[in-house]
């Protein structure tokens, strides 16, 4: 059974919202943190509702609305979201107030809005959607888990279309804490030359990408979502290679039949060793694009990769602004996404033309 | 009373994060809930917290809520009636 990506909506550190042309220009960010390019939300969300929404809620709701608008669907059968960090800004406000006010007289809004299911719930409230609504909080597998749930709903006939999204935000507090863990580069860096630096750490990213998945095709679908798999903490590169080979053979293809590989290479000298080794073995001679210089590193960044793959498949070719290695065919019909988050959460997604 | 009403309008806008609303946009006797400013039950909780934080006043009877929070003026009157002498 084929699952169709009917529409997408994406707010990211690139100019992606409103489909202004696929990466017509790449936005450069200096420093080790990428910020989303955000629209004027008042054009999409009622001002009476916007006042309670933190940044990630606005990003999620606006990306979801764009996706539904493009799909021509007013109310989806189900809404499934994936987020590792949830609504961090409201969580930070709520926890800070608890300390400052010695656990007394706490204002309710930040607490109410701080839960991980806030975005999915807010979308449902705005649409009056009483259907299935779920959120997956599973670190580097959060978006993949949401996607898997959506695929199961469609395959089992529980829904004809599902709005599925992956989203995470970086806040000043989370950036400071994760910097202390050594996740981000200490030296000055630009996202445009991120992969040229052979040093420790990466750059922080964020984003909200939504997709309308459907079990039936239309004339305007972006792509077909063929398959998805995840594997956790492979013991060594051989085990990773085995997972990839098994995934491809399960789809009855070999790596030479992949038109384009999109990888999660993030500029961290340790984490990127995995990609370098695979490019000399299972992905040898496969044309490759690396997506994290565009959106930064965050646990649900594979949602950005899926958005990129869907849009490349729809247009059939790579935008000239996007750097790549290898010989890309004239018409791109099949894309494999391979990402790992901190070399623990590994995922593979196979996308093809309709 | 006028100063208290003016202060309350500023505090309500800040506490409820009202967008594109200035103190002069809120009438002293304008209804706050449903019609008028269109506030809801979460806002009512925020206003209760505001009264406690800014004026050390605890709404003793929840059933008084609709009457107390009808307008900025009724909130100001409630504060005047219940504010401790030394604050």
């Amino acid at each position: 059974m084929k699952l169709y990506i009917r529409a997408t909506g994406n707010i990211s550190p690139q100019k992606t919202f409103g489909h202004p042309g696929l990466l017509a220009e790449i936005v450069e960010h200096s420093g080790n943190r990428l910020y989303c390019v955000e629209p004027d939300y008042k054009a999409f969300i009622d001002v009476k509702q916007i006042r309670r929404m933190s940044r990630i809620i606005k990003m999620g709701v606006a990306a979801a609305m764009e996706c539904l608008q493009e799909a021509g669907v007013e109310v989806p059968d189900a809404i499934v979201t994936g987020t590792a960090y949830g609504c961090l800004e409201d969580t930070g406000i709520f926890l800070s107030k608890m300390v400052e006010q010695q656990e007394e007289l706490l204002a309710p809004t930040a607490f109410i809005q701080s839960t991980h299911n806030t975005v999915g719930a807010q979308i449902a409230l705005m649409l009056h959607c009483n259907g299935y609504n779920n959120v997956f909080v599973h670190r580097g597998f959060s978006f993949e888990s949401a996607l898997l749930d959506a695929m199961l709903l469609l395959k089992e006939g529980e829904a004809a279309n599902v709005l599925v999204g992956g989203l995470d935000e970086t806040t000043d507090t989370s950036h400071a804490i994760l910097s202390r863990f050594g996740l981000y580069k200490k030296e000055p860096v630009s996202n445009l030359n991120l992969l040229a630096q052979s040093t420790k750490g990466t750059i922080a990213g964020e984003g909200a990408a939504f997709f309308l998945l459907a079990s039936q095709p239309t004339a305007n679908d972006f792509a077909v979502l063929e398959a998805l798999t995840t594997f956790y903490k492979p013991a060594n590169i051989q085990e990773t290679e085995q997972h990839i080979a098994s995934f491809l053979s399960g789809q009855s293809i070999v790596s030479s039949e992949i038109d384009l590989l999109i990888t999660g290479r993030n500029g961290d000298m340790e984490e990127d060793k995995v990609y370098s080794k695979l490019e000399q073995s299972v992905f040898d001679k496969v044309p490759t694009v690396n997506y994290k210089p565009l959106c930064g590193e965050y646990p649900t960044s594979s949602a950005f990769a899926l958005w990129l793959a869907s849009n490349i498949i729809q247009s059939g070719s790579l935008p000239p602004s996007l750097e790549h290695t290898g010989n890309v065919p004239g018409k791109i019909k099949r894309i494999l996404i391979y990402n790992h988050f901190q070399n623990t959460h590994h995922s593979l997604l196979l996308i093809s033309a309709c | 009373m006028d100063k208290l009403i003016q202060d309350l309008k500023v505090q309500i806008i800040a506490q409820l994060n009202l967008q594109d609303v200035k103190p002069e946009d809120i009438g002293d006797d304008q209804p706050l809930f449903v019609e008028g400013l269109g506030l809801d039950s979460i806002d009512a909780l925020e206003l209760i917290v505001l009264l406690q934080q800014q004026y050390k006043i605890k709404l003793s009877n929840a059933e008084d809520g609709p009457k107390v929070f009808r307008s900025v003026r009724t909130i100001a009157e409630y504060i005047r009636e219940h504010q401790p002498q030394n604050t």
Side-chain angles (χ1 to χ4, degrees):
Chain A
M1 181 184 179
K2 286 185 173 181
L3 300 180
Y4 300 88
I5 299 172
R6 186 173 297 170
T8 66
N10 187 14
I11 291 180
S12 76
Q14 299 300 319
K15 292 176 183 171
T16 51
F17 188 75
H19 294 290
L22 181 56
L23 300 174
E25 57 167 311
I26 305 291
V27 178
E28 181 171 13
H29 297 258
S30 298
N32 63 5
R33 180 175 170 186
L34 272 59
Y35 295 83
C36 280
V37 179
E38 296 179 68
D40 178 8
Y41 294 110
K42 286 175 190 164
F44 308 93
I45 309 169
D46 188 287
V47 283
K48 281 185 178 168
Q49 292 175 310
I50 222 169
R51 67 192 171 92
R52 287 209 188 104
M53 295 184 184
S54 65
R55 207 165 61 89
I56 188 68
I57 302 172
K58 286 185 277 194
M59 281 163 51
V61 166
M65 293 305 158
E66 182 190 35
C67 180
L68 289 171
Q69 246 173 30
E70 187 177 76
V73 171
E74 283 186 18
V75 181
D77 291 345
I79 300 169
V80 190
T81 51
T83 175
Y85 298 143
C87 300
L88 272 182
E89 188 182 322
D90 278 324
T91 303
I93 291 169
F94 173 66
L95 293 175
S96 300
K97 294 272 182 197
M98 273 184 78
V99 175
E100 287 165 14
Q101 293 167 212
Q102 300 176 319
E103 301 186 24
E104 288 188 351
L105 300 178
L106 297 172
T109 302
F111 171 65
I112 293 167
Q113 304 287 72
S114 69
T115 56
H116 283 72
N117 62 354
T118 304
V119 174
Q122 189 67 60
I123 296 165
L125 279 170
M126 288 175 70
L127 300 174
H128 303 290
C129 174
N130 299 312
Y132 180 93
N133 195 309
N134 209 349
V135 59
F136 289 83
V137 182
H138 200 341
R139 211 171 173 217
F141 286 158
S142 300
F143 175 64
E144 285 80 355
S145 303
L147 205 51
L148 182 61
D149 192 27
M151 292 166 80
L152 290 171
L153 285 169
L154 292 167
K155 289 196 174 183
E156 291 171 0
E158 295 286 322
N161 60 49
V162 181
L163 179 69
V164 57
L167 59 152
D168 273 305
E169 67 175 328
T170 300
T171 64
D172 292 347
T173 306
S174 74
H175 185 261
I177 291 170
L178 294 174
S179 293
R180 287 213 296 270
F181 290 168
L183 259 61
Y184 306 130
K185 289 196 184 296
K186 291 195 169 99
E187 68 277 13
V189 62
S190 155
N191 60 318
L192 299 187
N193 62 15
L194 174 69
L195 304 182
Q197 293 183 315
S198 191
T199 54
K200 196 174 177 312
T202 180
I203 49 176
E206 59 180 12
F210 274 80
F211 307 87
L212 199 284
L213 294 187
S215 52
Q216 297 299 319
T218 66
N220 302 317
D221 295 326
F222 276 61
V224 173
L225 178 58
E226 299 276 2
L228 153 73
T229 194
T230 58
F231 51 99
Y232 183 69
K233 277 191 181 173
N236 48 44
I237 197 70
Q238 287 76 27
E239 190 185 325
T240 301
E241 287 171 350
Q242 281 168 10
H243 280 293
I244 293 168
S246 168
F247 177 75
L248 294 179
S249 78
Q251 301 307 309
S252 305
I253 59 169
V254 292
S255 63
S256 60
E257 293 176 285
I258 298 166
D259 294 335
L260 183 70
L261 172 70
I262 296 181
T263 84
R265 192 182 272 269
N266 70 4
D268 182 292
M269 59 188 287
E270 285 304 315
E271 294 185 7
D272 284 353
K273 282 178 183 170
V274 178
Y275 301 109
S276 299
K277 287 174 185 169
L278 294 173
E279 282 164 11
Q280 291 163 10
S281 59
V282 288
F283 295 141
D284 182 32
K285 293 178 184 158
V286 180
T288 302
V289 160
N290 305 296
Y291 73 89
K292 284 181 185 165
L294 303 172
C295 67
E297 179 66 280
Y298 58 103
T300 51
S301 71
S302 50
F304 181 93
L306 181 60
W307 170 86
L308 181 61
S310 306
N311 281 272
I312 290 172
I313 291 272
Q314 192 209 31
S315 70
S317 59
L318 280 181
S321 59
L322 206 53
E323 285 185 20
H324 67 277
T325 60
N327 296 318
V328 179
K331 179 84 176 165
I332 298 171
K333 293 179 179 169
R334 183 181 281 145
I335 296 179
L336 179 70
I337 299 168
Y338 167 60
N339 177 47
H340 73 75
F341 181 70
Q342 298 182 353
N343 203 10
T344 55
H345 299 70
H346 295 242
S347 63
L348 290 158
L349 276 162
L350 188 64
I351 322 295
S352 68
C354 298
Chain B
M1 184 64 100
D2 285 349
K3 171 144 190 346
L4 178 57
I5 286 176
Q6 186 61 22
D7 289 348
L8 268 172
K9 289 177 182 176
V10 172
Q11 289 158 355
I12 288 170
I13 289 169
Q15 183 88 5
L16 306 184
N17 193 26
L18 298 177
Q19 309 269 308
D20 299 332
V21 177
K22 299 188 202 80
E24 56 268 31
D25 296 335
I26 306 174
D28 297 356
D29 299 299
Q30 180 186 356
L32 296 178
F33 288 82
V34 189
E35 47 183 323
L37 275 186
L39 304 186
D40 59 23
S41 58
I42 297 173
D43 295 313
L45 289 171
E46 292 280 4
L47 291 177
I48 289 170
V49 171
L50 188 152
L51 280 189
Q52 286 190 249
Q53 276 179 340
Q54 301 288 334
Y55 301 98
K56 315 291 181 228
I57 292 173
K58 213 168 184 173
L59 198 67
S60 49
N61 186 356
E63 288 175 7
D64 291 341
K67 199 172 67 184
V68 175
F69 294 128
R70 194 169 59 223
S71 67
V72 178
R73 188 186 300 281
T74 56
I75 299 174
E77 287 167 355
Y78 188 80
I79 291 169
R80 275 281 178 265
E81 285 168 27
H82 294 82
Q83 201 164 36
Q85 294 298 313
N86 57 351
T87 57

